[in-house]
Amino acid sequence: MLTIKLNNIIMEYGGRRLFNIKAAFVYSNEKIGIIGANGSGKTTLLDIIAGREKPVSGNAELFSGFSYIDQLGLPQGEACRQIDYSWAADGEPMSGGEIMRRKLAEGFGTDAGILLCDEPTSNLDELGIVRLERALKNIKGTLLLVSHDRQLLDSVCTKIWELDGALKEYSGNYSSYINEKEKQKQNERKEYEKYLEKKNRLEAATKERSTKAARMKHTPRRMGNSEARLHRMDVRQRAGKVSKASGQISSRLEKLEKKDKPKEQPKLKLFSSGEAGKQGRIAVAVENLSFSYGQKKVIDDLSFYAGTGEKIAVTGSNGSGKTTLLNCIANAVPGVRISPLAETGYFRQGCPELDEGSSILEFVMRKSRQPEHTARTILAGLGIKRDDVYKKISVLLGGERCKVSLCALVCQNPTIMLLDEPTNYLDIYVLSALEEMLESCENTLLLVSHDRFFRSKVTDRQIDLDGKG
């Protein structure tokens, strides 16, 4: 049964075309993941479907009631009935994770046939994400899910919508989408190579005939008048044939269907500083570390070692001390030993180190070991291109601020990298580029992230905190 129909939807902001969706159809029990770059209009599309936003033209038709779990407000739609508040937290004030659990409880408590979810994993801890995944897999009805959590998309979705100016539809989960995209890229590369080969061959043939025609115009020396006259007549005949052939080749060249060079995402790369081998075998040693906030002990008698070049995920529920542990390592508190020749760089949640008065490029270059053109390439790989590098940091939103802070750390290229939730606000394309870079780097890495897909690709082992150590 048809539950949602999108008809010729055009959306613009400030004169900029966001997307143009000719037509799309959603049926009962379909679970669709919506992906795209930051700013591509994913949330806007959900808002149009929910009736919160009005497009420039076109409309969305719904043939069932809906519930909307958004990033900011509480669910909207039909009245919530028989809500299971086991998701929700007791008492006030509520943390970001507790607010999201409350929204999820209310969203799942409706009898609506359509559930719209916008980044529902925001602020959820590991247990919350696992429970959400289970709930989304078990719901009856239609699901439209905007998420950067690739494991969630893999586990739940039966179809992927990619939003990039238009809407492209792919059958299957996220892994199926990646496989199909790779096949498309390979085909595009082959088509472009064939186009270049044919174009070069036709251009070379045209040039060869032009050269041949120019040579034929010259009358050989020591030729009498009669012979010269006959020669010129012969040349005209042959030149006519050459010119005709050249014209045919030019015509084929003009009619040759042009193929654009496939776009490639700029690569993020950490350049070896040459210092890793000088650090010794152990980069970070944590021995009998304890840490408290007032009377509340967060870390109690914790010990572990991080070998040089090792990549470790620090996991645990909200409040278990993950960020506290990274802070302790960054500040080398008693109980933490850092290799004397190592340099530590720290990506903090919220990016408090950003200088609001600086431009993006100025801030990135302050501690950069890379030349400006390399820094700009890395920024482009993170989605900050061309003149955007001259924007003031004070005008940037969450996702852009996160990218600037990450780029500054990458360009600094410290031997030990502490990353606290670096994947927040990043779109799937940038996540993949960051993943590839961290996989191949020689730096020691301690990573806090709720992104299970990201952790599994980047890290070698895991330290799980339980709030006690």
Side-chain angles (χ1 to χ4, degrees):
M1 185 181 88
L2 184 65
T3 55
I4 302 173
K5 182 182 178 184
L6 307 184
N7 306 298
N8 295 310
I9 294 178
I10 295 176
M11 191 63 186
E12 295 178 351
Y13 277 124
R16 183 177 76 89
R17 175 70 57 89
L18 201 57
F19 52 74
N20 181 358
I21 300 173
K22 299 295 183 184
F25 306 91
V26 184
Y27 297 90
S28 299
N29 300 318
E30 283 193 319
K31 295 176 180 176
I32 300 175
I34 304 175
I35 64 172
N38 289 341
S40 60
K42 301 183 294 295
T43 295
T44 301
L45 178 57
L46 288 190
D47 285 343
I48 289 171
I49 292 170
R52 294 185 182 183
E53 287 263 16
K54 187 173 176 59
V56 173
S57 64
N59 69 311
E61 296 180 72
L62 274 64
F63 304 97
S64 174
F66 74 92
S67 182
Y68 189 0
I69 300 171
D70 67 6
Q71 292 188 58
L72 302 174
L74 291 173
Q76 295 187 356
E78 295 184 348
C80 299
R81 299 187 294 277
Q82 299 177 345
I83 296 172
D84 174 15
Y85 276 102
S86 64
W87 281 83
D90 296 322
E92 297 288 344
M94 291 192 293
S95 68
E98 290 165 339
I99 292 169
M100 180 53 75
R101 287 198 298 274
R102 176 67 58 87
K103 290 196 288 184
L104 290 166
E106 298 193 11
F108 284 117
T110 72
D111 293 329
I114 301 169
L115 179 61
L116 310 176
C117 287
D118 191 5
E119 296 292 354
T121 59
S122 296
N123 300 307
L124 292 182
D125 59 19
E126 198 82 8
L127 177 60
I129 293 172
V130 170
R131 293 190 67 184
L132 169 66
E133 184 179 296
R134 191 183 307 131
L136 291 176
K137 287 173 75 172
N138 291 333
I139 63 167
K140 305 298 180 185
T142 298
L143 170 69
L144 264 64
L145 169 67
V146 171
S147 180
H148 293 152
D149 190 317
R150 291 158 294 174
Q151 188 161 327
L152 184 68
L153 293 170
D154 236 10
S155 179
V156 170
C157 295
T158 59
K159 187 179 286 185
I160 298 293
W161 279 0
E162 182 183 47
L163 205 54
D164 182 18
L167 192 150
K168 299 174 186 175
E169 188 173 286
Y170 298 84
S171 297
N173 61 7
Y174 179 76
S175 291
S176 300
Y177 154 79
I178 287 295
N179 291 335
E180 186 59 32
K181 285 284 285 185
E182 185 54 38
K183 287 178 186 175
Q184 288 180 5
K185 282 183 181 178
Q186 288 176 1
N187 289 335
E188 286 172 4
R189 290 187 197 109
K190 287 178 183 176
E191 289 296 316
Y192 181 68
E193 286 168 5
K194 285 180 183 176
Y195 161 74
L196 275 186
E197 183 184 352
K198 196 168 185 178
K199 178 173 174 282
N200 291 339
R201 191 170 65 245
L202 290 173
E203 286 177 341
T206 302
K207 186 177 179 181
E208 180 187 345
R209 278 159 178 75
S210 298
T211 304
K212 187 176 181 180
R215 286 175 182 164
M216 291 168 65
K217 293 177 183 177
H218 299 291
T219 302
R221 292 179 181 179
R222 299 177 183 175
M223 206 178 250
N225 291 336
S226 299
E227 289 178 306
R229 198 163 42 248
L230 290 172
H231 173 77
R232 284 193 292 270
M233 289 173 60
D234 182 51
V235 164
R236 278 196 295 270
Q237 289 176 349
R238 285 189 289 145
K241 291 178 182 179
V242 171
S243 178
K244 184 179 179 182
S246 181
Q248 289 172 342
I249 293 171
S250 297
S251 178
R252 287 171 61 192
L253 190 57
E254 288 172 6
K255 292 176 182 178
L256 184 63
E257 183 183 356
K258 186 181 178 184
K259 300 285 185 181
D260 292 324
K261 186 177 182 179
K263 291 180 181 178
E264 298 289 348
Q265 180 79 5
K267 297 281 186 183
L268 298 183
K269 185 177 180 181
L270 273 170
F271 299 86
S272 175
S273 62
E275 298 295 321
K278 301 177 183 178
Q279 293 178 60
R281 193 169 58 87
I282 302 298
V284 180
V286 175
E287 297 171 329
N288 309 117
L289 173 66
S290 296
F291 194 88
S292 301
Y293 291 109
Q295 298 299 313
K296 183 180 179 182
K297 183 165 282 190
V298 181
I299 297 175
D300 185 18
D301 198 28
L302 175 66
S303 298
F304 71 91
Y305 299 95
T308 297
E310 192 172 16
K311 300 177 177 68
I312 299 174
V314 180
T315 62
S317 60
N318 289 343
S320 61
K322 301 185 297 295
T323 296
T324 299
L325 175 58
L326 293 194
N327 286 337
C328 288
I329 294 171
N331 294 310
V333 302
V336 174
R337 285 189 296 106
I338 306 293
S339 172
L341 294 176
E343 179 188 5
T344 302
Y346 191 4
F347 174 88
R348 292 176 170 85
Q349 286 192 64
C351 310
E353 74 285 356
L354 291 177
D355 178 2
E356 302 295 322
S358 295
S359 73
I360 293 172
L361 190 59
E362 284 171 349
F363 181 79
V364 166
M365 292 305 297
R366 278 184 190 169
K367 294 183 180 180
S368 177
R369 285 193 170 99
Q370 312 302 331
E372 183 178 317
H373 67 87
T374 301
R376 294 188 67 144
T377 298
I378 294 169
L379 282 167
L382 291 167
I384 300 175
K385 302 176 181 178
R386 303 182 184 89
D387 289 346
D388 284 349
V389 301
Y390 301 115
K391 283 183 180 178
K392 291 291 185 183
I393 287 172
S394 58
V395 305
L396 303 182
L397 300 176
E400 290 176 310
R401 297 174 73 85
C402 175
K403 291 173 182 179
V404 172
S405 190
L406 272 173
C407 183
L409 185 64
V410 169
C411 289
Q412 180 189 347
N413 200 10
T415 49
I416 299 171
M417 299 178 72
L418 309 175
L419 302 177
D420 191 6
E421 295 292 355
T423 62
N424 290 350
Y425 305 109
L426 299 183
D427 62 52
I428 279 176
Y429 312 119
V430 172
L431 275 175
S432 297
L434 181 62
E435 227 167 51
E436 190 176 333
M437 179 198 74
L438 293 176
E439 274 186 280
S440 61
C441 78
E442 299 174 358
N443 309 57
T444 304
L445 177 67
L446 281 93
L447 167 71
V448 172
S449 176
H450 287 145
D451 190 321
R452 298 162 293 170
F453 194 99
F454 186 78
R455 286 201 318 255
S456 67
K457 293 278 282 184
V458 169
T459 58
D460 308 313
R461 67 183 175 103
Q462 183 170 303
I463 293 172
D464 188 54
L465 301 181
D466 60 3
K468 297 178 182 178

